Every structure is written in C-alpha cells, then in structure tokens.
Amino acid sequence: AVQDLVLRRVHLIKGPATNFRVTGSTRVLLEDCESEQGPQSGGTFGQTSYLTIRGGRVHHNRTSAAYDPFWEGGGYKFGNHTRDTIVEDLECDYNAGVGIWGDIAADNMIVRRCQVHHNDLSGIMHEISTDGVIEDNVLSHNGEKDGRGWGWPAQILVSSSAGPIEVRRNQMADSLKGISINAQNRGADS
C-alpha cells in the first residue's frame, strides 16, 4: 500500500483508460492537478482513505464510447470502500458522464467549493454510500444529455445512501433538476 503520496501540478492527458488511478492507499493529496481526455474517466479512486483533491481541473473525459457513462465513465469516481475523502476547489466540466461521483462505500466524503458544469450526467452524485457533505458548490448545465428522466439528471444526486448526508449552500442554475434524492432497494455491492 502507498502512504503519504503528494502529487502537485501534474497534468495528465489521454491515459490508457483513466488518467489517475489510485487504489489501496492512505493519505493521498492531489493538489492543483489537471486531468483531461481520459478515454474512460479523469480518475478512479478505490480502497483509499484520507484522500484529498484540492484545486485543479478535471475536464473533457470519457472520450471513448467503449466505456459506459452509467457505470464508470466521466470525471472523477470514488468508490469501492474509499473513505474520508475531501474534494475542494476543483473545476469539473465537460465530462461525458457524471462529474464527481462517490459510489459503493465512498463513506465520509466532502465535496466543497467546486465549480461543476456541463457534465453529460449529474454534476455531483453520492450513491450507495454513507456520511457525506456537499456544500458551497456552484453547479450548472449538468445532466442535459441524460435521457433517463425520473430523478437522474440532477445537479446534485443522492441515491440509495444512508445519512447523515448534508447538502447545503450550493448554487444551481440552468438544469432540469437541482437536487434529486432517489431511494432504491440496493445492496452494498450493487
């Protein structure tokens, strides 16, 4: 396992699938990094604790139609028992999928002060996870290419998650739905 990793001002373009992939690590900081044109996503993070992404930009990712945007394509995705994550002051835009996505035990995740716009699916999504804070973000034009209807195309989507989850002081404009809460009977490994 990797511990105490710091990446500053790294710019990744067109990785083999995802630009950043971090798994099985503790105390990781990505600061002022940029990730663009990843065929699958800008980054995936799993089985990692105490991860902080501060500043930077993740944009124009999921450039290959071979990757399913409803499964793992888009901006940054956190899951598979990633705990105690902070994403702050990030610009997340023009990804062909979800912008910032916590999925399957992305527990105690904080997303704050981010600019999240023009992502094809939801801007910020907290799914099948516990404990989260989504605050002080500015979101617009997310979910405009999500044709599923119902509660899916939202600026902020909380789906099948247990609390406490706090969504507060976010500014949203130009969207079909601002905040959507979806309750589905799904197990932890769905």
Side-chain angles (χ1 to χ4, degrees):
V2 174
Q3 294 184 357
D4 301 311
L5 172 66
V6 176
L7 297 171
R8 284 195 178 96
R9 292 177 293 284
V10 174
H11 186 179
L12 296 176
I13 304 172
K14 298 181 183 178
T18 184
N19 286 336
F20 284 106
R21 184 168 190 264
V22 178
T23 59
S25 302
T26 304
R27 294 183 305 274
V28 176
L29 170 65
L30 275 66
E31 188 170 54
D32 296 324
C33 294
E34 184 173 358
S35 177
E36 65 175 299
Q37 299 177 48
Q40 178 182 14
S41 68
T44 58
F45 306 87
Q47 299 177 344
T48 296
S49 55
Y50 305 104
L51 167 66
T52 300
I53 296 179
R54 182 177 302 129
R57 185 176 179 208
V58 56
H59 61 99
H60 295 95
N61 290 290
R62 200 185 72 80
T63 58
S64 171
Y67 297 100
D68 185 350
F70 302 108
W71 180 251
E72 202 165 35
Y76 282 157
K77 185 171 183 182
F78 308 85
N80 193 16
H81 304 282
T82 294
R83 290 175 167 72
D84 302 306
T85 298
I86 298 172
V87 180
E88 59 188 9
D89 305 314
L90 175 72
E91 183 174 12
C92 179
D93 58 315
Y94 297 98
N95 296 291
V98 174
I100 300 169
W101 187 356
D103 186 17
I104 306 179
D107 300 331
N108 196 29
M109 183 170 174
I110 299 169
V111 180
R112 63 183 172 213
R113 299 187 311 267
C114 295
Q115 304 284 325
V116 184
H117 57 94
H118 294 95
N119 295 288
D120 288 359
L121 304 180
S122 293
I124 299 172
M125 186 168 166
H126 190 77
E127 181 180 24
I128 317 172
S129 301
T130 62
D131 305 316
V133 176
I134 301 170
E135 65 182 0
D136 301 317
N137 300 289
V138 177
L139 302 102
S140 67
H141 297 284
N142 294 297
E144 293 177 350
K145 295 185 179 177
D146 189 338
R148 292 178 292 173
W150 189 52
W152 294 106
Q155 301 295 331
I156 297 172
L157 172 59
V158 178
S159 178
S160 307
S161 294
I165 298 166
E166 299 179 40
V167 179
R168 59 186 180 222
R169 298 186 311 267
N170 296 284
Q171 297 178 28
M172 291 165 259
D174 301 312
S175 69
L176 297 172
K177 294 178 184 72
I179 300 170
S180 184
I181 311 298
N182 293 345
Q184 296 176 301
N185 187 9
R186 297 178 67 179
D189 294 327
S190 293

